[in-house]
Amino acid sequence: MRYSASVVATAVAVGSLAVGIAGQGGSDRVQPAQQSVSDAKAKLVTTPWKTFSTTVGRGTKVVVSTGGNITGYASPNSGSAVYEHIGVGAIGEGYVLCYDGSSAAYDLGQSASGWAAPTTTSSNVTRNTLDGRASLQQTFSLTPGGISSATSFLVSMTVTNRTGSPMTNVVLRRQVDFDIDTGGGAGWAGFISNHSRTRGTVAAFHDPVEAPAGKESHGIMMMLQSPGGTWETRVTNAILDPSCDPTPAPLAANFVSRGDFGDTMIFRLGTIPAFGSKTSVLRYMRY
């Protein structure tokens, strides 16, 4: 399944199109920052594997670790206009893999469990679970001048069953702690932002009126590209929730969660047959 340009253009208005999380009551409270940093231009804390960059759209630079985590996402990234959206505070972006009804393994940048050491090539990052039952291969690509004149960062994740028996109830999640406009030379936001979702997107963003004089407001969405099964988007109460079924963030009456929250896309892959595999693909896009 792939989303057309018209769907993406509609999703950019994520603040007004957000769909409420089932079972959540309205709330107007602001979630305080779950993290702090003495220097909003903090250095990355994990070993880089590859840096993707372009000058299109005033520049974007995405850093991926040897574990397959996005540890930096600067966009725009040009001259004095450098805004970092992930590589600040509790630097967290990554993946959770569950199967057979339990949490098997996660790596969220700041914390990890259940994975053997990664192996990397020039084109991918591969992790095996410590129990030897599954592997996760990730590939990444930056597409300059793509949809809606934005820069899209594509993440492809293939889960392989390494055993001779079916693997059931497979759930793969991508989790991110978006700290929109908080880091970089022009950062200003202090970890607090607006979070919202549609069926195929989940995003963190700032309204233009929030930006101080001389600064800009931005947003980044995580967007479905190809699910490999059924899927769900969610704003998570914890910025780096490692569970199979993360607790949703509270919603205000306008279906927006304001504060320091996480964002996730959940791929429910179902059963993977013996030695079989399933692939899920998503993209990040700054707007």
Side-chain angles (χ1 to χ4, degrees):
M1 177 175 183
R2 293 184 179 272
Y3 278 71
S4 67
S6 62
V7 171
V8 175
T10 302
V12 170
V14 65
S16 60
L17 294 177
V19 177
I21 298 173
Q24 292 282 317
S27 172
D28 292 326
R29 75 179 182 91
V30 175
Q31 167 75 16
Q34 300 184 52
Q35 58 198 309
S36 63
V37 65
S38 58
D39 179 5
K41 305 167 189 64
K43 299 295 187 295
L44 301 181
V45 296
T46 52
T47 305
W49 165 61
K50 187 176 288 190
T51 298
F52 301 80
S53 62
T54 178
T55 59
V56 171
R58 295 193 299 150
T60 293
K61 182 175 75 172
V62 182
V63 181
V64 178
S65 75
T66 54
N69 315 95
I70 298 174
T71 56
Y73 199 121
S75 183
N77 184 46
S78 178
S80 61
V82 177
Y83 292 85
E84 171 61 53
H85 310 294
I86 291 179
V88 60
I91 300 170
E93 192 278 348
Y95 42 89
V96 179
L97 178 63
C98 307
Y99 45 83
D100 298 339
S102 64
S103 179
Y106 63 88
D107 188 335
L108 301 174
Q110 288 290 109
S111 60
S113 177
W115 294 104
T119 58
T120 61
T121 69
S122 60
S123 59
N124 61 61
V125 175
T126 301
R127 306 292 301 269
N128 293 330
T129 55
L130 286 176
D131 63 10
R133 298 191 61 204
S135 68
L136 174 66
Q137 184 179 87
Q138 303 179 78
T139 61
F140 306 86
S141 59
L142 184 63
T143 307
I147 301 169
S148 300
S149 300
T151 298
S152 296
F153 191 68
L154 201 67
V155 181
S156 177
M157 302 171 288
T158 299
V159 178
T160 299
N161 180 357
R162 303 178 68 207
T163 76
S165 301
M167 183 177 294
T168 62
N169 299 318
V170 180
V171 176
L172 175 65
R173 291 204 299 112
R174 198 84 195 180
Q175 175 80 27
V176 61
D177 171 29
F178 282 134
D179 294 319
I180 300 299
D181 298 324
T182 293
W188 56 268
F191 304 105
I192 302 300
S193 56
N194 309 299
H195 298 256
S196 189
R197 68 176 189 146
T198 65
R199 185 166 183 260
T201 68
V202 61
F205 61 97
H206 287 121
D207 189 278
V209 300
E210 296 184 66
K215 303 290 187 177
E216 301 174 14
S217 62
H218 304 96
I220 296 183
M221 67 170 59
M222 183 193 296
M223 183 173 62
L224 179 69
Q225 182 76 6
S226 180
T230 61
W231 73 94
E232 178 189 350
T233 61
R234 193 175 295 179
V235 180
T236 64
N237 193 61
I239 57 175
L240 297 176
D241 193 316
S243 66
C244 302
D245 188 21
T247 301
L251 285 173
N254 61 355
F255 303 106
V256 171
S257 300
R258 180 165 175 80
D260 189 13
F261 295 112
D263 297 282
T264 190
M265 187 162 287
I266 305 169
F267 299 102
R268 305 189 190 281
L269 303 181
T271 297
I272 300 180
F275 304 111
S277 62
K278 289 188 178 182
T279 299
S280 301
V281 187
L282 57 82
R283 68 174 66 238
Y284 287 103
M285 186 173 74
R286 191 269 298 173
Y287 56 95

